[in-house]
Amino acid sequence: MAHAGGPLPDLRNDLDIVIPTIRNLEFLEMWRPFFEKYHMIIIQDGDPTRKVQVPEGFDYDIYTRTDIEKALGDKAWCISYKDSACRCFGYAVSRKKYIYTIDDDCFVAKKPNGEDINALEQHIKNLLTPSTPFFFNTLYDPYTPGSDFVRGYPFSMREGAPTAVSHGLWLNIPDYDAPTQMVKPKERNERYVDAVLTIPKGSLFPMCGMNLAFNRELIGPAMYFGLMGEGYPIGRYDDMWAGWCVKVICDHLGLGVKTGLPYIWHSKASNPFVNLKKEYNGIFWQEKTIPFFANVSFTKEAQTVEACYLELAEKVRKELGPVDPYFTKLADGMITWIEAWAKLNPNSEP
């Protein structure tokens, strides 16, 4: 792991940027100083015959629905269509150790002093330093320069745990659900909090996929964004589902999840009425799914992400299947996703 205060290693050969989109990617011009040296994987949703425009000078591959079907064959159905959940195909096809995923309506934010925030650099810092999931440090991330472990923190636990996920936040448009959007249509997040926290073991959290980085080698097979969009009775829960699955598996395997810095500028508020139609079932179902994840346990034999995920899929089938037939289909999708991951990553552990 990199020293907390030392120079960051150059990860241009170790990190892919994954972007799901249905539009031209002019927003990348703003990110050019930070993204240009990295390879990008663009997942083009919607019409596969449309040509997405990408500014010159970027290194990228574009995958359409046609490409997904060609790569996965009869397993392609597990990748959502007409929903940003399609981004997880990019995670599977990548060959890099780290992934950063961002939405195309996310711009470069500024610190209170007016300096542009290099979100990717902060994510790398988060991922290359340990997490503290087993004992909470009240002075935030102890591996940040200028911070440390506080009095009373056990010395035997100060090495921390490997960090699997770095969950960034957003200025301007907050990531609210539809009912909250409706009652607070003009609310904007203007609070820049200069802090990174490890989410404690045993605590779930609502993961947002618009500014997210992770160690693909540590947790990649669990970053499945579920079955959303066309043909399914739910949307806008793709990243939530992945986050719940990831967190319980990280807890079992002794891995860490950080949240806080970096911020991006979320530029566009989505339509709350459209969002409510997508979220409606999820708002009710999460009252069942959250207790389910809060009580999930794995066998001692489940020592890989893939093994944990397959156990989790069967638990979803058994315990959430009675809530709605959708969860039975989702359990099938989870298993098919692991098969698809293995097909694209033949050297991955079973």
Side-chain angles (χ1 to χ4, degrees), residues 164-232:
V165 179
S166 172
H167 178 256
L169 300 175
W170 352 266
L171 295 172
N172 195 35
I173 306 295
D175 187 29
Y176 286 161
D177 53 43
T180 308
Q181 279 184 292
M182 288 176 178
V183 298
K184 295 183 173 182
K186 296 182 179 180
E187 185 157 294
R188 300 293 181 265
N189 181 32
E190 299 175 347
R191 296 177 60 219
Y192 178 91
V193 180
D194 188 4
V196 177
L197 297 170
T198 294
I199 301 173
K201 181 179 181 180
S203 293
L204 297 169
F205 76 112
M207 188 176 82
C208 173
M210 74 172 83
N211 176 27
L212 177 72
F214 61 93
N215 185 322
R216 185 177 173 277
E217 293 181 359
L218 288 181
I219 200 64
M223 275 289 180
Y224 176 50
F225 277 44
L227 297 173
M228 305 280 154
E230 186 170 270
Y232 298 106

Side-chain angles (χ1 to χ4, degrees), residues 146-162:
S147 182
D148 212 323
F149 293 96
V150 297
R151 181 172 56 89
Y153 200 102
F155 282 88
S156 61
M157 302 178 76
R158 294 190 182 193
E159 287 188 2

Side-chain angles (χ1 to χ4, degrees), residues 175-179 181-182 235-237 269-281 283:
D175 187 29
Y176 286 161
D177 53 43
Q181 279 184 292
M182 288 176 178
R236 285 172 57 82
Y237 273 85
S270 49
N271 185 311
F273 298 98
V274 173
N275 289 348
L276 183 61
K277 187 176 180 180
K278 294 178 179 179
E279 294 173 6
Y280 179 81
N281 284 321
I283 290 170

